[in-house]
């Protein structure tokens, strides 16, 4: 089922990919180090970043929303997407190659913990590796990431896969909700550069892919600049986009990158295997 | 080291007890063995030295709490991060188990959780010896031995002592 957190995750991925088109192993497109995330930053973490010239971009769902449920509750098949992104796994590393198509899902499993990533419209193998590396690092893993590959030296069990598309979905409600993309910048120049780049990246796709295989319609809503915290060397910009997205039921779990299977022989249960 | 120490009221009087909730004491001792920030533990409790200004007696602070100082973490990586708001797993402990004075004072605040029993929460003042390699900041937080949580609203270094204004953090 799609949730507002799925929309937030998709927006984070699109923004990160716009700022780091070659992945985070290369400098950002605006020159400043940029951090992109859901949730509000805290002052003790933000202040040193501003002093160092880093840009923080937070994504938050607003209260502004409207119930726009209007479609009948019928099961719909999601159009399959070509399996154009590939990954090669060797021991504790994975390398991505090929073309990224929205609807694909890439992920790694490390010691039984799964890190899935829904491919976005501006993704490349490098940004897929970069965004997965971010998820792994946030979970405390030491990641050796470069180009289109990443390596987790400390992993005892490691797997990586790319799967395509989702199974049938039934839309049970639909909502239109505003999302705030807030830029916490150390100077007006980095605010202008990052704001323009991100606004363009969000305006290009009419629909963004969500992790359950459904899509959200993305519409520009507003933008404003705030200099009220300039005495703290903080220059803010808030860009608001309205997303119309469904809440769905799924017949199969579309994000089933990895899972467990029970094996039986002669009607007797044998064991459960991680696959 | 064992020292003979005489503690009297801040005004130097021995005719009346010290005021309730007043952490300061005059201490008479051989201060050639002491410096600001040192702890003295004895039958009257644990105090730390706040000022040594010979030939006047030392100013010491009675402790009534054991405090940890924490700094909330945030997004740590370039590009996409899982979450930006402070999470328990991202907290960094800056000081561990420092005896300190923690008394009600300063400015309180109100809770904002939207609960039916939302109340005003008290302000607190914490006094503890300063540590050279640590600088408390606004929005850091402190926990005490009863697992209560306080947010730093002001941090002031006076001599070798930190005076921290706090607001108790309550949901």
């Amino acid at each position: 089922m799609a949730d507002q957190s799925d929309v937030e995750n998709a927006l984070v991925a699109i923004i990160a990919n716009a700022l780091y088109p070659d992945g985070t192993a290369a400098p950002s497109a605006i020159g400043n180090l940029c951090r992109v995330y859901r949730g509000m930053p805290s002052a003790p973490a933000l202040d040193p970043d501003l002093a160092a010239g880093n840009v923080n971009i937070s994504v938050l769902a607003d209260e502004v929303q409207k119930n726009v449920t209007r479609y009948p509750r019928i099961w719909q098949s999601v159009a399959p997407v070509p399996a154009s992104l590939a990954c090669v796994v060797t021991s504790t590393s994975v390398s991505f190659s090929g073309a990224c198509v929205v609807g694909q899902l890439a992920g790694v499993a490390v010691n039984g913990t799964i890190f899935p990533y829904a491919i976005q419209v501006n993704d490349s193998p490098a940004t897929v590796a970069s965004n997965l590396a971010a998820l792994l690092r946030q979970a405390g893993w030491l990641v050796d990431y470069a180009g289109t590959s990443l390596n987790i030296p400390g992993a005892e069990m490691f797997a990586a896969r790319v799967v395509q598309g989702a199974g049938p979905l039934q839309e049970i409600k639909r909502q239109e909700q505003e999302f705030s993309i807030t830029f916490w910048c150390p100077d007006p120049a980095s605010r202008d550069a990052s704001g323009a780049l991100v606004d363009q990246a969000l305006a290009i796709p009419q629909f963004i892919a969500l992790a359950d295989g459904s899509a959200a319609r993305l519409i520009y809503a507003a933008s404003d600049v705030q200099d009220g915290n300039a005495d703290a060397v903080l220059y803010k910009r808030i860009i608001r986009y309205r997303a119309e997205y469904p809440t769905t039921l799924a017949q199969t779990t579309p994000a089933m990158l990895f899972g467990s299977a029970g094996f039986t022989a002669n009607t007797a249960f044998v064991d459960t295997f991680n696959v | 080291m064992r020292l003979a120490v005489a503690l009297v009221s801040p005004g130097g009087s021995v005719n009346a007890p010290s005021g309730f909730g007043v952490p300061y004491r005059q201490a008479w001792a051989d201060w050639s063995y002491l410096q600001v920030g040192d702890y003295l533990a004895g039958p009257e409790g644990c105090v730390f030295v706040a000022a040594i200004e010979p030939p006047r007696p030392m100013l010491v602070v009675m402790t009534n709490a054991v405090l940890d100082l924490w700094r909330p973490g945030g997004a740590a990586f370039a590009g996409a991060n899982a979450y930006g708001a402070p999470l328990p797993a991202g907290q960094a402990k800056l000081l561990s188990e420092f005896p300190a004075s923690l008394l009600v004072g300063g400015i309180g605040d109100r809770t904002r959780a939207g609960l039916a029993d939302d109340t005003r929460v008290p302000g607190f003042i914490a006094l503890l010896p300063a540590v050279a390699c640590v600088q408390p900041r606004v929005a850091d937080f402190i926990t005490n031995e009863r697992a209560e949580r306080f947010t730093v609203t002001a941090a002031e270094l006076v001599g070798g002592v930190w005076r921290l204004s706090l607001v108790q953090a309550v949901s």
Side-chain angles (χ1 to χ4, degrees), chain A residues 142-191:
Chain A
L142 182 65
V143 181
D144 181 12
Y145 152 69
T148 60
S149 63
L150 51 89
N151 181 29
I152 299 98
E156 293 170 356
M157 290 190 298
F158 181 81
R161 280 176 202 163
V162 177
V163 297
Q164 65 175 79
L169 295 175
Q170 185 185 104
E171 182 173 325
I172 53 176
K173 74 180 175 74
R174 175 170 283 268
Q175 50 271 309
E176 192 179 88
Q177 186 170 11
E178 273 194 11
F179 290 82
S180 291
I181 298 103
T182 307
F183 297 73
W184 312 83
C185 302
D187 51 61
S190 60
R191 178 177 63 186

Side-chain angles (χ1 to χ4, degrees), chain B residues 92-145:
Chain B
K93 188 185 269 190
L94 305 181
L95 295 177
S96 184
E97 298 183 4
F98 266 54
S101 165
L102 180 67
L103 296 170
V104 171
I107 300 170
D109 199 358
R110 61 185 175 83
T111 53
R112 296 180 173 82
L115 299 173
D117 58 353
D118 274 356
T119 59
R120 288 193 67 79
V121 290
F124 279 79
I125 300 290
L127 298 167
L128 64 162
V131 177
C133 59
V134 176
Q135 177 56 55
R137 289 187 183 143
V138 171
D140 285 345
F141 65 92
I142 274 177
T143 53
N144 65 7
E145 71 279 14

Side-chain angles (χ1 to χ4, degrees), chain A residues 12 16 20 24 33-42 44-45 48 131 134 137-138, chain B residues 71-87 137-140:
Chain A
V12 165
Y20 287 94
T24 52
L33 189 148
C34 303
R35 309 188 203 280
V36 190
Y37 44 82
R38 299 169 53 211
M40 290 290 265
S42 64
N131 292 333
R137 284 171 172 156
Q138 191 81 20
Chain B
R71 178 152 300 159
F77 308 111
N81 287 261
Y83 208 75
L87 300 172
R137 289 187 183 143
V138 171
D140 285 345

